[in-house]
Amino acid sequence: MEIGSVTTPFGRRSMTLGMLANQVMAGEIKPDQSVDKWKLFRALCEAKPLLGIGDRALAVLNALLSFYPKNELAEENGLIVFPSNIQLSLRTHGMAEQTVRRHLAALVEAGLLLRKDSPNGKRYVRRDRAGEVNEAFGFSLAPLLARAEEIEQLAAAVMAERLHVQRLRERITLCRRDIAKLIEAAVEEEIPGDWQGLYGEFRDLIEGLARTPTAAQLELLLHELEALRMDILNRLEIRIKSAKQRGNANYIERHIQNSNPESTSELEPGFETKQGAMAEQDKGREAETLEEGRGEAAQSRQEESRQSGGRNDGGGLKSFPLGLVLQACPEILAYGPDGVIRNWRDLMAAAVIVRSMLGVSPSAYEEAANVMGPENAATVMACILERGGHINSAGGYLRGLTRRSEKGEFAIGPMLMALLRANAPAGRKAG
C-alpha cells in the first residue's frame, strides 16, 4: 500500500488527531476504488461552503491535480504528487509562494490532503532501475479518493439548497408583484380600506430582508407575503361580492324610478345634494350628466363634491384621496398656504403657483382642468413637480396628458402609485 505507516510532519509542524484520523481513513481505501479527478474537483467546487475552503485553496488543489499523471485517482497509480512551491506558483498563475504554502496548509486542515514529508522536508521521488516509483515524498491525494462519495453528496446538497433558494426567490418575486398590483388596483378603483397602511407593511417586509438572506429567512418572508396577499385578496373578494349585490339592488331601484319619475326617496344619500342642484334642469340633460360626467352639470357636481368632501370623476378620470396625493407628491406641500395643504382648495392654489414656476401656460392648465377636472388637474401638476427632473417641457407634457385623457388613454392611478413607491420611506414618516 501507498501508506504503510503513519507519518508525522517535518520541522515545527505539530501532529494532530485530525491528521492521524485522515491517515487512518486513507489507509482504508479499497484496492479497486477509483474516481475521475476532474469530476471530483467539480464536486469540490460545489461543496466548498460545507468543506470550509475558498477559491484560492481550490486553485492550489487544481494545480496539484494537474501534476497527477492519470485522469483516474487510484491507489494502483500512486497517490503522491511532489511539485515544488515554485512549480505550484507557476501553475496557479503566479500566486506568491507564501500564499501557496498558506493554502496548502488549509487543504491539509480541511482533510483533503495529507503530507508525506521526507526526512529533510523536501519533495522528491525515488525510482527503481526500471523507472518505476519506489517511494515518493510530497502531498498525498488519498483523502480525496477516500472521501469521494462524501464530497459528491455534499455537492448534491449544496446544489439542492441553491435550487431551493432560487425557487423561493421566484415565488417571492411573484408574490411581491401580486401585492403591488392588487393594492394599485384597489386604490385606482377607490375601494375603501387602509391601502396606504397595507402598502407600508408590504414595504417594511421587503426592506427588512438581509442583503444575503438564508433559505430560512426567505421562507419566513414568503410566508408573511403570502399571508398579506391573502388578506388583500379577501378584502377585494368581499368588495366584489358586495358590488354584485348592489348591482342587483340598483337594477330594481332603476326600475322603480322609471315607474315613478317624480319619486326621489330611493336615491342614495350621497346624491341628495346633486339632485337638489339639478332639480331645475331638464330631464334629458340630467340623464346625460349622470351617464357621461360632462358639461356644465358635471362641473357643478364636482364643485359640490369638493364642498362636501366627496370625490368625483373629471372627464372620465377618477380622483384620489387628498392624503394619498400628498403622500405620493410631498414636494407640493411647500407651495401651499403657509407651507400647508389642508384641503383641495389649498392644493389647487398650490398647483397654480407650480404651474407658473414650471412655465406651464394658463391656457394649457385651463384646458387640463376642463378635460380632467380641477382636482385631477391639480393632482397632475403635483405629479409633474415631483418628476420635474425627468420632464423637459412641463407644458408640453401636460398638454400630452390632456389629449390622452380626452381619448380615455390616461389614468392617474399608475402615476400616483409609482411616485408612492419612490417616496415610500418619506411617506411612512409623514403618516
Side-chain angles (χ1 to χ4, degrees), residues 37-156:
K37 65 178 181 179
W38 297 123
K39 181 180 177 182
L40 181 60
F41 181 74
R42 285 192 294 271
L44 276 167
C45 292
E46 292 285 353
K48 68 177 181 179
L50 301 181
L51 293 171
I53 55 176
D55 297 339
R56 307 200 76 183
L58 284 173
V60 173
L61 182 58
N62 179 75
L64 282 173
L65 289 174
S66 70
F67 284 101
Y68 190 77
K70 305 287 186 180
N71 279 333
E72 292 287 325
L73 284 178
E75 191 173 14
E76 64 180 10
N77 298 329
L79 293 171
I80 302 291
V81 289
F82 38 87
S84 66
N85 287 341
I86 295 177
Q87 291 174 315
L88 285 175
S89 177
L90 292 174
R91 292 283 177 97
T92 54
H93 307 287
M95 185 182 296
E97 291 185 36
Q98 184 178 0
T99 305
V100 169
R101 286 194 293 269
R102 185 170 68 251
H103 290 301
L104 285 171
L107 291 169
V108 172
E109 185 177 353
L112 300 176
L113 291 180
L114 282 178
R115 292 183 186 273
K116 187 177 179 183
D117 288 343
S118 66
N120 62 0
K122 301 295 183 180
R123 299 170 204 156
Y124 57 86
V125 62
R126 286 201 181 100
R127 301 180 185 274
D128 57 20
R129 292 188 177 185
E132 297 294 331
V133 175
N134 189 15
E135 189 172 17
F137 297 98
F139 290 101
S140 173
L141 304 175
L144 292 178
L145 182 58
R147 299 180 62 184
E149 184 176 353
E150 175 197 353
I151 291 169
E152 290 175 354
Q153 291 175 353
L154 292 176

Side-chain angles (χ1 to χ4, degrees), residues 53-356:
I53 55 176
D55 297 339
R56 307 200 76 183
L58 284 173
V60 173
L61 182 58
N62 179 75
L64 282 173
L65 289 174
S66 70
F67 284 101
Y68 190 77
K70 305 287 186 180
N71 279 333
E72 292 287 325
L73 284 178
E75 191 173 14
E76 64 180 10
N77 298 329
L79 293 171
I80 302 291
V81 289
F82 38 87
S84 66
N85 287 341
I86 295 177
Q87 291 174 315
L88 285 175
S89 177
L90 292 174
R91 292 283 177 97
T92 54
H93 307 287
M95 185 182 296
E97 291 185 36
Q98 184 178 0
T99 305
V100 169
R101 286 194 293 269
R102 185 170 68 251
H103 290 301
L104 285 171
L107 291 169
V108 172
E109 185 177 353
L112 300 176
L113 291 180
L114 282 178
R115 292 183 186 273
K116 187 177 179 183
D117 288 343
S118 66
N120 62 0
K122 301 295 183 180
R123 299 170 204 156
Y124 57 86
V125 62
R126 286 201 181 100
R127 301 180 185 274
D128 57 20
R129 292 188 177 185
E132 297 294 331
V133 175
N134 189 15
E135 189 172 17
F137 297 98
F139 290 101
S140 173
L141 304 175
L144 292 178
L145 182 58
R147 299 180 62 184
E149 184 176 353
E150 175 197 353
I151 291 169
E152 290 175 354
Q153 291 175 353
L154 292 176
V158 170
M159 288 187 287
E161 178 76 1
R162 185 167 61 244
L163 181 61
H164 178 55
V165 169
Q166 180 182 352
R167 289 176 176 172
L168 284 174
R169 289 184 178 276
E170 290 174 352
R171 292 176 62 187
I172 288 173
T173 298
L174 292 175
C175 203
R176 287 179 61 177
R177 185 180 69 192
D178 292 345
I179 291 172
K181 290 188 177 292
L182 287 172
I183 292 177
E184 181 178 339
V187 172
E188 187 172 350
E189 295 294 333
E190 300 182 14
I191 296 176
D194 184 18
W195 302 112
Q196 298 178 34
L198 288 173
Y199 185 78
E201 180 182 348
F202 167 57
R203 295 306 309 172
D204 287 339
L205 289 175
I206 299 302
E207 293 168 5
L209 187 65
R211 184 179 294 273
T212 53
T214 63
Q217 291 172 328
L218 290 174
E219 288 173 354
L220 178 60
L221 175 63
L222 178 61
H223 175 73
E224 293 174 337
L225 288 176
E226 287 178 339
L228 180 59
R229 179 176 61 181
M230 184 59 64
D231 182 24
I232 295 171
L233 285 173
N234 288 338
R235 295 176 186 230
L236 295 178
E237 287 176 0
I238 292 172
R239 178 66 178 180
I240 292 172
K241 291 177 181 178
S242 63
K244 288 181 179 179
Q245 294 173 356
R246 285 201 307 272
N248 294 334
N250 289 338
Y251 174 79
I252 297 172
E253 176 183 323
R254 287 194 299 272
H255 178 72
I256 294 173
Q257 290 174 355
N258 292 336
S259 300
N260 184 12
E262 301 299 327
S263 174
T264 60
S265 61
E266 300 297 331
L267 291 175
E268 294 181 3
F271 288 91
E272 290 178 1
T273 57
K274 301 176 197 174
Q275 185 185 25
M278 296 185 296
E280 298 181 359
Q281 298 178 4
D282 62 279
K283 296 294 190 296
R285 184 167 184 178
E286 179 180 355
E288 179 183 356
T289 302
L290 289 173
E291 292 177 3
E292 300 181 3
R294 296 175 181 175
E296 295 179 4
Q299 296 176 6
S300 174
R301 184 178 61 187
Q302 291 167 358
E303 180 62 25
E304 290 172 3
S305 177
R306 285 195 299 273
Q307 294 175 0
S308 61
R311 294 177 299 177
N312 288 312
D313 296 346
L317 288 181
K318 296 179 180 178
S319 299
F320 292 85
L322 179 61
L324 178 64
V325 175
L326 296 180
Q327 187 174 1
C329 309
E331 289 191 15
I332 200 165
L333 289 168
Y335 300 91
D338 300 324
V340 179
I341 294 178
R342 303 177 184 86
N343 49 45
W344 283 105
R345 190 178 300 277
D346 290 347
L347 179 64
M348 287 186 282
V352 172
I353 298 174
V354 170
R355 173 201 66 74
S356 177

